[in-house]
Amino acid sequence: MKQDYYEVLGIGKQADEKEIKRAYRKLAKKYHPDMNPGDKVAEQKFKEVTEAYNVLSDKEKKKLYDQFGFAAFDEAGNARADAGSGFYGGAGGQGFGGQGGFRSGSFHTGDGSGYQEFHYEGGDMGDMFGDIFGNMFHGNAGGHSSFYSNGSGFGGFGGQKGYRQQASYRGEDLHADITVGFDEAAFGCDKMIHIQAADGTGVQSLSVHIPAGIDDGKSVRLRGKGHPGFGGGENGDLLLKVHITPRAGYERKGMDVYTTADIPFTTAVFGGEASFPTLYGNVVCKVPAGTQSGKKIRLRGKGIVSMKNPNVHGDQYVTIQIQVPTTLTAEQRQKLHEYENAMKQGGRSAA
């Protein structure tokens, strides 16, 4: 007796498309013939999970299965014409389910969708291969495939017993995190990381170049350092998500940098020059007379370099804070009182 398709994939009946695909990919890799050469049990398991996936991943088939169970399909998992509204052809042999011509073929595709059943009534061989390859590559001319006779599957083709496509999977991408300093992200750096090798052989040391200007949360891609591919497929990539540690006194927003700086009260009143720290060293800048606390002074080009164009930089914005003296000499106090009185008299005169 067949096992329920949901149980085969180890999922519940409320599973969505992503859960169904995720469960199939996990089991398909586990039981794939390339990973278990000569293991008949694994081969049978692979066929079972593939059959279950072919039904549950197809909205129409899934609907029929949920309504009629196995009675909706023939032994190959193909929808019966009497289980729905003419699915896969109805009476008279229209569509894919008719008599004669080419019958079912089982091909393994390189996109992770498993074995696919194709049915043909006739027509020319160009149509047949067009349907097969269209399904396998989903319009991608860059797919990898190869065929060999395995004595089963595609019956009645050129006297051969059958053809099967050798799987060619691209390995999955790996994801990891890397932490860099504020200046390391601003100017770029090289870091040595140690990760568990994708093939489980131990710890792997990799040199990683962090490009200048990278922002927090962005990723660095190391091509070919992910999970190994199957059947000659290329390896996946390693994606390192960058986390930037803060630097005291500096705040980054995109390519711009924000800081604060204290200036003497007299400089704010009379104007003058002040030295401001930047990522590139101290910069002497003019401060206009009458500068108020909270005013921002823009230092052009003193921000973060663009990752796209090394000749382009952001700006630095310095928020001015006016220093208030905490200790005064008797003479200084006297002068300030004179200033205070002069201000009051000026106010009365203006009135």
mmCIF file of all heavy atoms in Angstrom, residues 212-213 255 304-314:
data_model
loop_
_atom_site.group_PDB
_atom_site.id
_atom_site.type_symbol
_atom_site.label_atom_id
_atom_site.label_comp_id
_atom_site.label_asym_id
_atom_site.label_seq_id
_atom_site.Cartn_x
_atom_site.Cartn_y
_atom_site.Cartn_z
ATOM 1 N N ALA A 212 36.399 48.763 0.240
ATOM 2 C CA ALA A 212 36.241 50.071 0.870
ATOM 3 C C ALA A 212 34.850 50.627 0.587
ATOM 4 O O ALA A 212 34.357 50.564 -0.540
ATOM 5 C CB ALA A 212 37.302 51.034 0.344
ATOM 6 N N GLY A 213 34.226 51.145 1.646
ATOM 7 C CA GLY A 213 32.914 51.769 1.487
ATOM 8 C C GLY A 213 31.739 50.854 1.744
ATOM 9 O O GLY A 213 30.586 51.294 1.677
ATOM 10 N N MET A 255 26.855 57.132 2.728
ATOM 11 C CA MET A 255 28.227 57.562 2.478
ATOM 12 C C MET A 255 28.610 58.777 3.313
ATOM 13 O O MET A 255 29.759 59.219 3.281
ATOM 14 C CB MET A 255 28.410 57.874 0.986
ATOM 15 C CG MET A 255 28.349 56.654 0.082
ATOM 16 S SD MET A 255 28.304 57.097 -1.682
ATOM 17 C CE MET A 255 29.781 58.124 -1.842
ATOM 18 N N ILE A 304 32.448 58.697 3.349
ATOM 19 C CA ILE A 304 32.827 57.340 2.932
ATOM 20 C C ILE A 304 32.953 57.277 1.414
ATOM 21 O O ILE A 304 32.169 57.881 0.685
ATOM 22 C CB ILE A 304 31.778 56.315 3.405
ATOM 23 C CG1 ILE A 304 31.568 56.440 4.919
ATOM 24 C CG2 ILE A 304 32.190 54.905 3.039
ATOM 25 C CD1 ILE A 304 32.785 56.116 5.751
ATOM 26 N N VAL A 305 33.940 56.513 0.949
ATOM 27 C CA VAL A 305 34.148 56.363 -0.481
ATOM 28 C C VAL A 305 33.032 55.519 -1.098
ATOM 29 O O VAL A 305 32.466 54.622 -0.447
ATOM 30 C CB VAL A 305 35.520 55.702 -0.771
ATOM 31 C CG1 VAL A 305 35.561 54.284 -0.226
ATOM 32 C CG2 VAL A 305 35.831 55.714 -2.264
ATOM 33 N N SER A 306 32.699 55.814 -2.339
ATOM 34 C CA SER A 306 31.688 55.033 -3.055
ATOM 35 C C SER A 306 32.287 53.699 -3.504
ATOM 36 O O SER A 306 33.420 53.646 -4.005
ATOM 37 C CB SER A 306 31.202 55.814 -4.283
ATOM 38 O OG SER A 306 30.446 54.986 -5.141
ATOM 39 N N MET A 307 31.541 52.617 -3.344
ATOM 40 C CA MET A 307 32.005 51.305 -3.807
ATOM 41 C C MET A 307 31.994 51.233 -5.329
ATOM 42 O O MET A 307 32.722 50.441 -5.920
ATOM 43 C CB MET A 307 31.124 50.195 -3.223
ATOM 44 C CG MET A 307 31.279 49.993 -1.734
ATOM 45 S SD MET A 307 30.267 48.611 -1.127
ATOM 46 C CE MET A 307 31.019 47.231 -2.000
ATOM 47 N N LYS A 308 31.179 52.067 -5.960
ATOM 48 C CA LYS A 308 31.073 52.043 -7.412
ATOM 49 C C LYS A 308 32.124 52.908 -8.088
ATOM 50 O O LYS A 308 32.570 52.614 -9.188
ATOM 51 C CB LYS A 308 29.668 52.485 -7.837
ATOM 52 C CG LYS A 308 28.555 51.571 -7.361
ATOM 53 C CD LYS A 308 27.201 52.071 -7.825
ATOM 54 C CE LYS A 308 26.079 51.150 -7.375
ATOM 55 N NZ LYS A 308 24.742 51.642 -7.808
ATOM 56 N N ASN A 309 32.499 54.016 -7.426
ATOM 57 C CA ASN A 309 33.455 54.949 -8.020
ATOM 58 C C ASN A 309 34.393 55.461 -6.933
ATOM 59 O O ASN A 309 33.990 56.245 -6.069
ATOM 60 C CB ASN A 309 32.717 56.120 -8.677
ATOM 61 C CG ASN A 309 33.652 57.051 -9.424
ATOM 62 O OD1 ASN A 309 34.873 56.975 -9.300
ATOM 63 N ND2 ASN A 309 33.079 57.948 -10.214
ATOM 64 N N PRO A 310 35.658 55.021 -6.945
ATOM 65 C CA PRO A 310 36.597 55.423 -5.881
ATOM 66 C C PRO A 310 36.907 56.904 -5.870
ATOM 67 O O PRO A 310 37.511 57.405 -4.918
ATOM 68 C CB PRO A 310 37.851 54.593 -6.204
ATOM 69 C CG PRO A 310 37.749 54.270 -7.662
ATOM 70 C CD PRO A 310 36.291 54.122 -7.932
ATOM 71 N N ASN A 311 36.510 57.623 -6.889
ATOM 72 C CA ASN A 311 36.742 59.060 -6.941
ATOM 73 C C ASN A 311 35.619 59.865 -6.285
ATOM 74 O O ASN A 311 35.695 61.091 -6.195
ATOM 75 C CB ASN A 311 36.908 59.529 -8.392
ATOM 76 C CG ASN A 311 38.143 58.935 -9.062
ATOM 77 O OD1 ASN A 311 39.205 58.861 -8.446
ATOM 78 N ND2 ASN A 311 38.003 58.507 -10.304
ATOM 79 N N VAL A 312 34.588 59.167 -5.855
ATOM 80 C CA VAL A 312 33.428 59.825 -5.245
ATOM 81 C C VAL A 312 33.389 59.501 -3.752
ATOM 82 O O VAL A 312 33.526 58.339 -3.355
ATOM 83 C CB VAL A 312 32.119 59.361 -5.926
ATOM 84 C CG1 VAL A 312 30.911 59.982 -5.230
ATOM 85 C CG2 VAL A 312 32.134 59.734 -7.406
ATOM 86 N N HIS A 313 33.219 60.548 -2.947
ATOM 87 C CA HIS A 313 33.119 60.384 -1.498
ATOM 88 C C HIS A 313 31.874 61.095 -0.978
ATOM 89 O O HIS A 313 31.397 62.065 -1.576
ATOM 90 C CB HIS A 313 34.346 60.960 -0.787
ATOM 91 C CG HIS A 313 35.602 60.175 -0.999
ATOM 92 N ND1 HIS A 313 36.276 60.161 -2.200
ATOM 93 C CD2 HIS A 313 36.296 59.361 -0.157
ATOM 94 C CE1 HIS A 313 37.351 59.386 -2.087
ATOM 95 N NE2 HIS A 313 37.383 58.886 -0.865
ATOM 96 N N GLY A 314 31.405 60.628 0.158
ATOM 97 C CA GLY A 314 30.347 61.335 0.857
ATOM 98 C C GLY A 314 30.933 62.525 1.603
ATOM 99 O O GLY A 314 32.116 62.849 1.474
#
